[in-house]
Amino acid sequence: MESDVQLGPLPVSQVTLVFIDVETTGLRPDLDDRVCEMALIRQPGRYRPAEWSTLIDPQRPLSEGAFAVNGITPEMLVGAPTYADVADHVDAALADAVYVAHNAPFDLGFLRAEYARLGRVFPERPTIDTVALARRYLRLPSHRLGALARHFRIPDPDAHRALGDCRTTRAVLAAIIRRVFPDSDPTVAELTSVTQSFSSRRTGMVEPVLPPSLAEMIATQRPIEIVYLSADGSRTHRSILVRDTVRVGRHMYLVADCLLRHEERRFRLDRIIDWNLRE
């Protein structure tokens, strides 16, 4: 087994990468949301990658928001293995690899919670986060996986299903490397340091958290009706399509297309007092 220090100087093309994606019953593992689908693509250096995916019985109901995103129904999960049934396979697939995920804290956070339920410790490894890379190197209005796929003209036929998103993440990472390092093979340290830097800037910050119901509506990529409290205290009704979230100073904003004014606007999170999916 190579240590993380030994991996750092190696070109990323010479190490084993494991692309990870999970679909879940909701957004909060700390509130007992669970993994209901998982996919891994293990790519050993320049050799052909191996794909694995499975539905997983979460042993709890699916939320409406999760179904709206991934389309997984309770009927599809009948007879599916539990996470305990697949944990040993996951362990073997993750061994000695550098992890790659899009918005890695989400996927890895759910895996840590699943491991903890089994009394096991999730194997921490160097991690490449394609969201962090995109935010560092690409000036785009959105860094969502689908937006990056469109930017790089990558087919994305199975969006919001675990294996489809794994494949897209793999293609997005390759596209970012070609764009940012056209004449070199970046090292593991060069890519993982971006993730670490992005995470460290957030350490100790009081980060506003999207209310789960609002986050799930945003994930559906459908227009949302909001009631917005303007600076003068007046309430307005807006129909928006959220593209991204950003922090400016102490506040978080939704970056969205305002469907009334037909322009991109920013809406301060703490001034959004009600929200519903537009009928």
Side-chain angles (χ1 to χ4, degrees):
M1 177 186 295
E2 290 182 288
S3 72
D4 296 356
V5 174
Q6 291 173 319
L7 282 172
L10 293 177
V12 73
S13 65
Q14 295 182 18
V15 302
T16 297
L17 303 177
V18 172
F19 297 85
I20 302 169
D21 190 83
V22 299
E23 299 300 323
T24 62
T25 63
L27 299 169
R28 299 283 300 275
D30 57 318
L31 296 181
D32 205 35
D33 280 320
R34 303 288 302 273
V35 172
C36 62
E37 186 178 42
M38 182 175 184
L40 301 171
I41 299 178
R42 185 175 172 92
Q43 178 177 306
R46 298 184 185 276
Y47 294 95
R48 187 172 183 175
E51 298 182 345
W52 173 83
S53 67
T54 184
L55 291 165
I56 294 175
D57 178 1
Q59 301 175 295
R60 62 151 293 163
L62 300 165
S63 71
E64 292 183 7
F67 168 73
V69 173
N70 54 44
I72 296 173
T73 66
E75 291 75 20
M76 294 167 63
L77 299 175
V78 173
T82 65
Y83 196 87
D85 295 329
V86 302
D88 287 342
H89 181 87
V90 173
D91 256 352
L94 296 179
D96 303 333
V98 174
Y99 302 155
V100 186
H102 191 77
N103 191 18
F106 179 88
D107 298 272
L108 300 188
F110 269 93
L111 293 186
R112 290 186 187 101
E114 294 290 352
Y115 270 70
R117 287 187 183 92
L118 299 176
R120 301 167 70 156
V121 178
F122 179 70
E124 303 291 345
R125 301 287 293 161
T127 300
I128 299 169
D129 189 338
T130 46
V131 166
L133 291 175
R135 289 181 174 175
R136 171 74 176 273
Y137 294 116
L138 305 176
R139 294 181 176 273
L140 298 173
S142 173
H143 301 106
R144 293 178 181 275
L145 187 60
L148 294 175
R150 290 190 294 273
H151 175 73
F152 288 116
R153 299 183 180 180
I154 296 168
D156 189 22
D158 298 312
H160 303 300
R161 292 299 301 270
L163 184 56
D165 283 353
C166 250
R167 290 168 173 164
T168 301
T169 299
R170 178 170 173 262
V172 163
L173 177 63
I176 291 175
I177 289 174
R178 287 194 299 269
R179 173 77 59 85
V180 179
F181 304 93
D183 301 315
S184 64
D185 190 354
T187 65
V188 170
E190 284 179 291
L191 298 182
T192 58
S193 65
V194 176
T195 300
Q196 293 165 354
S197 174
F198 177 71
S199 298
S200 66
R201 288 199 303 272
R202 301 170 65 175
T203 301
M205 296 173 63
V206 179
E207 187 71 27
V209 177
L210 289 174
S213 60
L214 177 59
E216 289 181 1
M217 289 180 193
I218 291 171
T220 68
Q221 299 185 337
R222 292 168 54 192
I224 300 171
E225 301 281 357
I226 64 170
V227 179
Y228 192 68
L229 189 65
S230 300
D232 62 4
S234 61
R235 297 186 179 193
T236 59
H237 293 259
R238 308 287 184 91
S239 183
I240 64 173
L241 185 60
V242 179
R243 299 299 186 186
D244 207 350
T245 59
V246 298
R247 170 182 276 279
V248 179
R250 295 181 296 108
H251 298 291
M252 178 180 280
Y253 292 79
L254 302 185
V255 181
D257 295 335
C258 178
L259 304 183
L260 174 64
R261 299 184 179 180
H262 302 289
E263 61 185 10
E264 183 176 284
R265 301 290 300 274
R266 292 187 179 188
F267 299 92
R268 211 171 88 180
L269 179 60
D270 61 348
R271 290 182 177 169
I272 301 174
I273 59 178
D274 196 17
W275 51 86
N276 288 286
L277 280 175
R278 193 171 76 171
E279 297 296 334

